[in-house]
Amino acid sequence: MTKSSSGRTGLLLIDKPGGITSHDAVSRTRRWYGTRKVGHAGTLDPMATGLLVLGLGQGTKLLTYVVGADKTYTATMRLGSSTPSDDADSSPDRFADPAVLAGLTEAEIREAVAKQTGSIEQVPSAVSAVKIEGKKAYELVRAGEDVQLKARSVTVSRFDIHDIRRAESHIDVDVSVDCSTGTYIRALARDIGEDLGVYGHLTALCRTRIGPFSVDDAHELPERGQVDEVPPAELIDLGSGAAGLMPAVKVDAQVARGLLQGRFLPIPEADPSADRCAAIADGRLVGVVEPRQGAWKIAVGTTSLEDYKQ
C-alpha cells in the first residue's frame, strides 16, 4: 500500500500503548500534526494495545468504512475470577471455587471456546461505550445505575488457543480471534468463564488488524511531552486507503466532475456486484460511490469540484 506524507489529509496507523484512551491518542495526534480535524475508527479500551486507525482531514470521511471492517486480536483470558469491566481495568470481585478450577480440563476449555465461535448472540460488556438512550453504558455504570444491555449478533470466524498456563488461583489462556465489528473480546472471556463455572476476564488485549491494515505497519505515538519534537509520521493517502477497504475504479476528470456535482453516472468499469466503490481520478480519491438506479452516485466526496474544472 503506497503512502504519502503530503498535507494533513490521510489515514494514520498508530500502535496504541496501554494506559491511554483512544481519545487521548486523538488529542495527542492533533498536536503532533497541528490540526484539529482528527478522528479514530474503533475504540480501544485503556488497557488494550495495538492498532488504532486515525483519519486526518478528509481522511475522517473514510473512518465509517474502517469501523465496519473485520478485526483480529490477540488476548489472554484469565479463568478463575471476574471483574466489573470484564478486564484488568478493574479489580476481581468474584472468584471460582478452587476445587472446580483445579478440576477444569483442557478439553472443557476448548469446548467452551468452540461454543463462542461462529455466529453468536453476545451481550456487550456493561462497562462499554454502547449507548443507551444517548448515554454511554459505562457512564451509567459509574453513576451507580444497573445497566442491562441487549444481546447482538456478531461473528467470530476464528478463535484459536495458543497456550494454556495453570496457576493455583487461575488459568491463563492465550488466544487469537478474528471477528466482525461490534464483537467484545472481554465479553468472550466473561461468557467462557461463566460457561465453565469459574468466571473469566481479560488480562491482555492487542488489536493486530482492522480490515487491510496491520499493526506491523503502525507508528509509535510520541509521548505527550515529545509531541513537538517528533516529526509527523507518514500518512496513507486516501486513494490507497480506500482501495484497501473496497473495490476501486478509475474515472476520468469528466466523470469526477459529474459525480461531485451529484449526478447519477454509469461507470462501466465498476464492479456491478459491489455495494460501494472508491472512485479514483489521476491517483486521487474523488470519493466513495454507491449504485443508484442502474448508475453510480457519490456517497462521500473527498475532493473539491474545483479540482476538476474544465
Side-chain angles (χ1 to χ4, degrees):
M1 195 176 295
T2 60
K3 295 182 179 181
S4 169
S5 59
S6 61
R8 291 293 182 265
T9 281
L11 298 178
L12 176 65
L13 308 185
I14 288 296
D15 187 355
K16 188 189 87 67
I20 69 170
T21 67
S22 297
H23 179 75
D24 291 335
V26 168
S27 178
R28 201 177 297 181
T29 301
R30 284 173 175 156
R31 182 174 174 183
W32 192 18
Y33 282 83
T35 179
R36 293 295 302 169
K37 198 168 184 180
V38 180
H40 72 81
T43 301
L44 278 177
D45 297 320
M47 184 199 82
T49 63
L51 182 60
L52 188 65
V53 179
L54 304 180
L56 282 71
Q58 295 294 319
T60 57
K61 295 183 178 181
L62 291 182
L63 294 180
T64 184
Y65 304 107
V66 180
V67 169
D70 289 351
K71 301 168 178 67
T72 297
Y73 297 87
T74 60
T76 298
M77 303 187 302
R78 175 157 292 180
L79 303 177
S81 59
S82 66
T83 72
S85 60
D86 300 326
D87 63 16
D89 275 338
S90 56
S91 300
D93 58 353
R94 295 184 299 175
F95 299 88
D97 182 318
V100 175
L101 187 66
L104 192 62
T105 67
E106 179 177 331
E108 289 173 321
I109 294 172
R110 291 187 178 277
E111 182 180 356
V113 166
K115 289 180 184 178
Q116 296 296 322
T117 306
S119 297
I120 62 173
E121 293 294 311
Q122 183 186 75
V123 176
S125 298
V127 183
S128 67
V130 174
K131 288 190 175 181
I132 303 174
E133 297 181 352
K135 293 186 177 180
K136 294 178 180 178
Y138 71 80
E139 295 173 340
L140 298 175
V141 171
R142 289 173 181 171
E145 295 190 30
D146 181 25
V147 174
Q148 300 294 327
L149 298 176
K150 295 180 180 179
R152 57 174 66 177
S153 297
V154 298
T155 300
V156 177
S157 53
R158 180 176 66 94
F159 201 160
D160 291 342
I161 294 176
H162 300 294
D163 194 19
I164 298 176
R165 303 186 304 280
R166 292 179 179 268
E168 184 176 347
S169 62
H170 60 264
I171 300 173
D172 282 343
V173 185
D174 295 334
V175 300
S176 57
V177 180
D178 290 341
C179 57
S180 63
T181 185
T183 305
Y184 281 81
I185 310 303
R186 50 197 166 109
L188 293 176
R190 174 202 67 199
D191 293 344
I192 287 169
E194 291 285 351
D195 184 32
L196 294 169
V198 295
Y199 306 118
H201 68 281
L202 287 187
T203 59
L205 178 66
C206 178
R207 185 161 62 198
T208 61
R209 180 188 65 87
I210 303 177
F213 307 116
S214 170
V215 71
D216 293 338
D217 299 319
H219 300 277
E220 183 177 348
L221 188 66
E223 295 291 337
R224 186 175 297 278
Q226 298 176 330
V227 168
D228 295 329
E229 304 170 10
V230 179
E234 203 170 30
L235 300 180
I236 299 174
D237 68 78
L238 299 187
S240 297
L245 294 164
M246 65 193 77
V249 59
K250 292 182 179 180
V251 299
D252 60 24
Q254 182 178 353
V255 172
R257 280 195 302 273
L259 290 170
L260 291 169
Q261 288 169 344
R263 295 166 57 191
F264 291 61
L265 296 176
I267 306 178
E269 299 80 8
D271 182 353
S273 65
D275 58 1
R276 66 178 65 95
C277 284
I280 297 175
D282 295 327
R284 298 177 60 190
L285 180 67
V286 179
V288 178
V289 296
E290 297 178 350
R292 291 287 191 279
Q293 302 174 12
W296 294 83
K297 186 179 187 299
I298 200 156
V300 176
T302 56
T303 53
S304 169
L305 183 60
E306 297 295 315
D307 296 327
Y308 300 98
K309 276 187 173 181
Q310 291 178 310

